[in-house]
Amino acid sequence: MELNITSRTEGCTLNAAISGRLTYNSAPGFEAFFAGIPDNIAEIRVDLFGLAYIASMGIRAIISAKKTADSKGRRLLLLSPSPAVMDVLTMTGLDELIDIEQPEEIKEEAEKQIYPLRPIQRWMMDTQFVKARSTMSNVGSLLRFEPSVDLQVL
């Protein structure tokens, strides 16, 4: 599945919708789209609802789009990311750098999903990796909470 970008201009606002996968192969097309935005645009609204997957090059492309928008005095707003894409944006910290709007029904659906970790493991992930911006150096501490994992074999 390749990346598809559709857009329309309403006054000084550019509304774009992205669908498909933002990967190594499709990131250059995403960056080229942002490079070609006319100078009269003050706000760029990007609907991510159709984005099924985002890779590290996609994260880089979004950061590049944000830098370009900032340098031209534009506002970049990401709309309606799926729960999976929102998880990536949150884990990478982009939700703190870029304005993101998520409809209430998507937020509620994400909250209903069963989280695969127990509460103590989730707390460990949040405090050790997300908030500390840590690397995987603390992954061993997560394994201690799961008695079925044989640490001798690992």
Side-chain angles (χ1 to χ4, degrees):
M1 178 187 293
E2 63 185 54
L3 185 71
N4 296 311
I5 303 173
T6 58
S7 65
R8 71 178 190 284
T9 303
E10 295 176 7
C12 293
T13 301
L14 177 74
N15 295 301
I18 298 175
S19 62
R21 298 168 54 92
L22 189 49
T23 63
Y24 176 81
N25 292 329
S26 61
F30 180 84
E31 290 175 340
F33 170 78
F34 273 89
I37 294 176
D39 291 335
N40 68 326
I41 299 298
E43 182 177 55
I44 305 164
R45 301 171 57 89
V46 182
D47 187 345
L48 300 178
F49 186 76
L51 188 63
Y53 175 81
I54 185 167
S56 59
M57 282 298 288
I59 296 296
R60 180 191 171 284
I62 289 176
I63 292 170
S64 175
K66 171 67 173 160
K67 287 181 177 179
T68 301
D70 287 349
S71 71
K72 295 184 177 187
R74 298 174 174 160
R75 177 178 184 229
L76 176 62
L77 177 63
L78 303 181
L79 305 169
S80 307
S82 68
V85 171
M86 188 63 198
D87 284 347
V88 172
L89 297 174
T90 301
M91 291 296 279
T92 58
L94 283 182
D95 63 328
E96 297 174 15
L97 300 173
I98 300 174
D99 295 329
I100 300 173
E101 287 184 8
Q102 210 173 13
E104 285 302 316
E105 58 270 9
I106 292 178
K107 287 181 186 176
E108 290 171 6
E109 185 62 32
E111 291 171 1
K112 289 179 188 175
Q113 292 180 353
I114 298 172
Y115 201 85
L117 300 176
R118 288 182 272 160
I120 191 70
Q121 290 172 315
R122 185 173 182 180
W123 173 83
M124 194 70 152
M125 288 293 291
D126 290 343
T127 58
Q128 297 297 318
F129 298 134
V130 179
K131 291 181 180 144
R133 302 283 188 244
S134 174
T135 60
M136 296 301 285
S137 62
N138 296 325
V139 75
S141 61
L142 288 172
L143 297 176
R144 284 190 230 138
F145 292 108
E146 181 56 54
S148 66
V149 175
D150 185 359
L151 294 177
Q152 298 301 321
V153 175
L154 291 176

